[in-house]
Amino acid sequence: MGSIAVVICAYADERRVQLAGAIRSVLSQTRRPDRMIVVIDHNERLLEETRAAFPAAEIIANAAARGLSGARNTGIRAAAGLELVAFLDDDALAEPDWLGRMERHYDDPAVLGVGGKVVPLWEEGRPRWFPEEFQWVVGCSYRGLPEGLHPIRNPIGCNMSFRRMVFDTVGGFREGIGRTGQDAAGCEETELSIRARQTFPDGVILYDPEAIVRHQVAGVRARWGYFRRRCLAEGRSKRAVAASVGARDGLAAEGAYVTRTLPGGFACGLADTVVRRDPSGLLRAAGIVAGLGFTAAGYLSARFSLAGLFPAGGRI
């Protein structure tokens, strides 16, 4: 297809081991990236240590505002001149054929971006109450996504790629929506994808479940307190996206998720309890109800506070 840069953003000292694994997984790709850029988000010690450990990678400092959006935009700027930009989280491991599987889809000029499947690696095991429909809480693919190659509204940020011309035309990730440090916000890739589709209405973003990364889920993220906090933050982020790109586009995918995926998961949880005599089914059904309630509460709490907050486009 052409030239590819891979961007990994990192900020946390406690993720040194995971970051090293992510970098090695990219350096071990069967389709090696033309450039590998690691952006360290306002952490000078981690910046110097990563440079010393991985001289084969380009380790740079976030030159934008603190947070994931600013760090990604710094990586995009550093990748100037390359045709594709792929993103991997600092606590994720890409399968060896990850880049190659995404690259092949760009032979179609209509493809604006490609995302892949994100498989959770539970540090302390999957909680019995945790519904698969809410695996987005831990940044992983969830029940309700396509099972085969299919167009989607937006990829999961842990495993995604875009044509460079998308950023050149619509701008970068919008600061003020995505994650900063330890907070639980998200949706910056959703907002960017919607802007891309609004600008290129004949373009598509594909989901390829064969382009796999494995996302390490720390024990703290498998606990009820994080589940609640992340759902509330997602609701607030959804409202920010709707304020930025319009409610019709901003919430288009959520309709099917709320009216089909979640009721189906709730019914399956009850069936597991009644038919299979698995009490954890009832816990998963309760988790679906609670997750929906928390997310809706986050959305409603932000509804009247975001008007006029975001400029017309993200800057790179």
Side-chain angles (χ1 to χ4, degrees):
M1 161 59 204
S3 53
I4 306 177
V6 175
V7 174
I8 299 175
C9 301
Y11 72 95
D13 290 320
E14 61 269 22
R15 286 192 189 174
R16 285 189 184 87
V17 174
Q18 292 93 328
L19 174 60
I23 294 172
R24 292 190 184 102
S25 77
V26 174
L27 295 177
S28 300
Q29 291 293 298
T30 53
R31 195 294 188 204
R32 294 288 296 272
D34 297 280
R35 290 176 65 187
M36 180 177 174
I37 301 165
V38 180
V39 184
I40 305 299
D41 188 12
H42 297 272
N43 185 331
E44 189 65 29
R45 183 172 66 177
L46 182 61
L47 176 69
E48 296 305 322
E49 290 179 356
T50 308
R51 279 176 174 164
F54 293 98
E58 299 176 46
I59 316 297
I60 64 176
N62 179 11
R66 183 185 300 273
L68 185 54
S69 291
R72 283 176 172 163
N73 290 340
T74 294
I76 294 166
R77 285 194 298 271
L82 279 73
E83 296 172 76
L84 306 176
V85 185
F87 299 87
L88 182 73
D89 276 10
D90 64 339
D91 55 354
L93 302 168
E95 291 291 291
D97 61 351
W98 171 63
L99 266 187
R101 288 191 176 278
M102 287 200 296
E103 181 188 30
R104 64 183 180 179
H105 298 299
Y106 288 101
D107 288 339
D108 181 349
V111 173
L112 304 174
V114 180
K117 186 174 184 179
V118 184
V119 178
L121 294 175
W122 301 92
E123 182 181 83
E124 297 179 357
R126 182 191 188 91
R128 297 177 67 193
W129 58 267
F130 203 110
E132 190 174 341
E133 292 78 6
F134 276 81
Q135 281 187 173
W136 54 262
V137 165
V138 293
C140 295
S141 295
Y142 51 91
R143 182 175 290 141
L145 285 176
E147 296 183 0
L149 183 66
H150 199 274
I152 54 172
R153 180 187 65 183
N154 63 274
I156 295 172
C158 174
N159 179 0
M160 63 181 177
S161 62
F162 291 94
R163 291 188 190 273
R164 172 76 201 194
M165 67 90 173
V166 169
F167 301 116
D168 291 341
T169 304
V170 308
F173 293 92
R174 196 183 302 280
E175 297 174 9
I177 290 181
R179 184 162 302 200
T180 302
Q182 296 283 355
D183 70 34
C187 290
E188 65 276 6
E189 63 273 2
T190 302
E191 195 272 346
L192 172 72
S193 298
I194 293 171
R195 271 191 285 129
R197 288 293 316 284
Q198 289 175 338
T199 304
F200 302 101
D202 295 327
V204 296
I205 297 172
L206 291 177
Y207 175 73
D208 183 352
E210 294 186 354
I212 297 171
V213 304
R214 302 185 186 276
H215 198 184
Q216 301 175 74
V217 182
V220 67
R221 293 192 174 187
R223 295 171 188 161
W224 179 254
Y226 182 81
F227 181 85
R228 175 182 176 276
R229 185 163 63 94
R230 178 71 183 89
C231 288
L232 286 166
E234 182 74 2
R236 292 191 293 269
S237 296
K238 293 290 186 191
R239 177 56 192 165
V241 170
S244 174
V245 299
R248 179 176 179 178
D249 288 341
L251 300 175
E254 280 68 26
Y257 176 75
V258 170
T259 60
R260 293 201 294 269
T261 300
L262 294 188
F266 180 83
C268 285
L270 294 183
D272 285 345
T273 298
V274 174
V275 178
R276 299 183 179 87
R277 300 187 182 280
D278 175 10
S280 63
L282 185 60
L283 296 177
R284 291 191 297 273
I288 288 173
V289 173
L292 176 60
F294 292 144
T295 307
Y299 182 92
L300 292 173
S301 71
R303 183 174 181 181
F304 300 107
S305 61
L306 294 172
L309 186 59
F310 301 105
R315 293 175 298 184
I316 57 172

